Amino acid sequence: MKRIGDILVELNILTNEQMDAAFAGKPRGVMIGDWLVRQSLISNAQLGAALSEQFSVPFVDIDFSSVNPQVARLLPEDFARSQASVAIDVSDRMLTLAMVAPDDIETIAEAELMTGYKIRPVVALEDDVRDLLNRIYDDRAFARQTIVDMKFAEMAESGEVTEEDELAMSAVSQEDAPVVKLVQAILSGAVSAGASDIHLEPHKPEMRVRYRVDGELQVVMTIPNHIEDSVISRIKVMGDMDTTENRRPQDGHLTVYENGKRVGFRISGIPTVDGQKLVLRLLDEGGQTFDLAGIGMPQRDYETIRRVIDKPHGMFVVTGPTGSGKSTTLYAALQHLNDDDRNIVTVEDPVEYRLPGINQVQSDNEFGMGFANALKYIMRQDPDVIMLGEIRDCETATTAVQAALTGHLVISTLHTNDAVGAVQRLADLGVDNFKIAGSLLGSVAQRLLRCVCENCKVDAPANLNLLDALDPEQFVPRDTTFVRGAGCKRCLGTGFAGRVPIFEIMPLNSDITAAIEAGVPNSQLEEMAHAAGMVPLRRAGLEAAIAGKTSLEEVYFKTSGDRRSTNSTSMVGGRRSVDQPVPSAIA
């Protein structure tokens, strides 16, 4: 490929002497074309002509007013920003993709896979691509920001503050009083947004605040560094944590009342190079209920799980990555089993929800009550059902299996990607195959898929590339109509609101039990499980998409295990990827 400088000289736009002088004065990290424009040696149009010659594709001077935002949003925001590419037009099943590096074949292929369109690459200036992306997604950032702004307005109009806030305000200076309101707004905004976690992350020059909504992190504001310590201290005071300790991890808990509902926040703080990072997990302490039949699983899966956990002894495990809803499934199973004639004991780290009638134990290694030791003590408490928050080491796995073999029902979680993988994970932890075969009743893998917003749901033709990847056996007709969210104020422009679980359940029969005892490989176990009726995660996701609950793209990205196309930050075509900007601070 010709260098951009050589092309400019060949086009008689610059001389060799001008190019040499420009290269000599160019700062490191700045592209020569951008530098020439900044120095007024060439115009944007001349640079565009040279780029078109370099990449052998048309140059586009992006007209912001002519780009349909819905077209641009055909590509996920993270992908568009990281690959410095933006969709600007669709015509006759052809999508025009403005790219900083139009020779990036991998990006083009991924865009075709995600959109279902044939890609027509064109070259555009990096500043134009970045500015268009900012314009396209600014309204979404603004919508998220208004969650907190509205809380500020409500507090200002009503003058309502809790008794705790009044006491806190009386103890701080006039300059610190706004911090109390800021923290209250952050907490209230998370409740209003339906967030599961709040992340306060110290960076330079500003602290970033993000909510995790429907499993996705979203930036809601930034906090200037000069009040960062005050915000962290305020939360630590509310969580009964040591405000003077900044070098060790800390945990805390606080409770607020929002719209008459009691909401708890579990606080975890760790020191980073830029300051204290806090993560607050929201816990609905008032209205949370757990019902196995009501957590969103199909009737088929409900009946299968119910048959498994109604057995008097053995081990039942739930697998999946962090944030896939494993704890909710375990709590729902416990509620199903919660009868007066059963002694149910749990070991959890931490105890997130209090379940009436169930004896819950907080795991604490410092006092000799880690999972393995606690399980040994519980065995002396005449238990019928034992729930372990997680099996994470050899001692816990061995003790849990032993409990299952000696007449107890044990339910727990494992970190594996699929239901069949639970067998290999237990073997990796040192459990003998014959003990796994004798104790394991069944395993479940699950994921949480974002639901398409009911307010802006529209029909969408099948993306055949994705459908072929998800359904190579072609059980689903290729003319099936799916749905997607167009984006509205109610879903903050994301097109999604809420989540629905999908399940892959492997119940054991005599053939699978014999195969586990014989130590057959996972691939053979998986074939046997499918033959026995196990529905794989991808098929369960497709069923949810066909039912209009989620989109085909969501099923692909949550079940394929390939997140690279939505959050990669690689170098593209020799050009550095565009950094994602952070919304401006409010304080």
Side-chain angles (χ1 to χ4, degrees), residues 209-283:
V209 180
R210 296 193 287 176
Y211 293 164
R212 187 177 293 278
V213 180
D214 294 336
E216 304 293 329
L217 280 172
Q218 303 175 351
V219 177
V220 294
M221 70 169 74
T222 56
I223 298 174
N225 285 151
H226 71 273
I227 62 170
E228 173 185 318
D229 290 340
S230 299
V231 171
I232 294 296
S233 295
R234 168 62 180 158
I235 295 175
K236 283 187 172 182
V237 168
M238 296 175 69
D240 197 22
M241 301 164 68
D242 186 353
T243 58
T244 64
E245 179 58 72
N246 296 319
R247 296 173 296 176
R248 293 186 177 90
Q250 288 192 73
D251 293 318
H253 186 277
L254 65 88
T255 300
V256 300
Y257 290 87
E258 182 67 20
N259 298 325
K261 182 172 63 175
R262 177 185 171 105
V263 181
F265 293 82
R266 190 185 76 224
I267 311 170
S268 173
I270 60 171
T272 71
V273 293
D274 289 325
Q276 286 280 301
K277 179 184 187 295
L278 297 184
V279 175
L280 291 78
R281 167 65 57 88
L282 278 72
L283 308 171

Side-chain angles (χ1 to χ4, degrees), residues 11 344 505 578:
L11 295 175
I344 303 177
I505 306 175
V578 179

Side-chain angles (χ1 to χ4, degrees), residues 473-485:
E473 298 87 359
Q474 298 198 2
F475 287 105
V476 180
R478 272 18 189 186
D479 59 352
T480 300
T481 299
F482 294 90
V483 297
R484 65 176 179 85

Side-chain angles (χ1 to χ4, degrees), residues 363-419:
S363 174
D364 193 333
N365 288 314
E366 185 176 348
F367 293 96
M369 284 293 285
F371 282 116
N373 278 341
L375 184 53
K376 293 176 182 177
Y377 289 119
I378 288 171
M379 293 288 288
R380 305 170 189 169
Q381 294 280 314
D382 186 30
D384 296 297
V385 180
I386 302 170
M387 190 272 271
L388 294 174
E390 181 183 354
I391 296 176
R392 62 178 67 160
D393 55 52
C394 176
E395 186 178 6
T396 304
T398 302
T399 309
V401 168
Q402 190 64 35
L405 290 170
T406 53
H408 305 88
L409 178 62
V410 178
I411 62 177
S412 186
T413 68
L414 282 171
H415 279 292
T416 64
N417 290 326
D418 52 31

Side-chain angles (χ1 to χ4, degrees), residues 156-174:
E157 291 173 4
S158 65
E160 291 181 0
V161 289
T162 64
E163 181 179 350
E164 182 185 22
D165 282 337
E166 290 178 352
L167 292 174
M169 288 184 185
S170 65
V172 297
S173 66
Q174 188 65 29

Side-chain angles (χ1 to χ4, degrees), residues 462-472 476-478 482 542 552:
N463 181 324
L464 295 182
N465 290 326
L466 293 185
L467 193 54
D468 288 341
L470 288 168
D471 184 33
V476 180
R478 272 18 189 186
F482 294 90
L542 279 173
L552 194 62

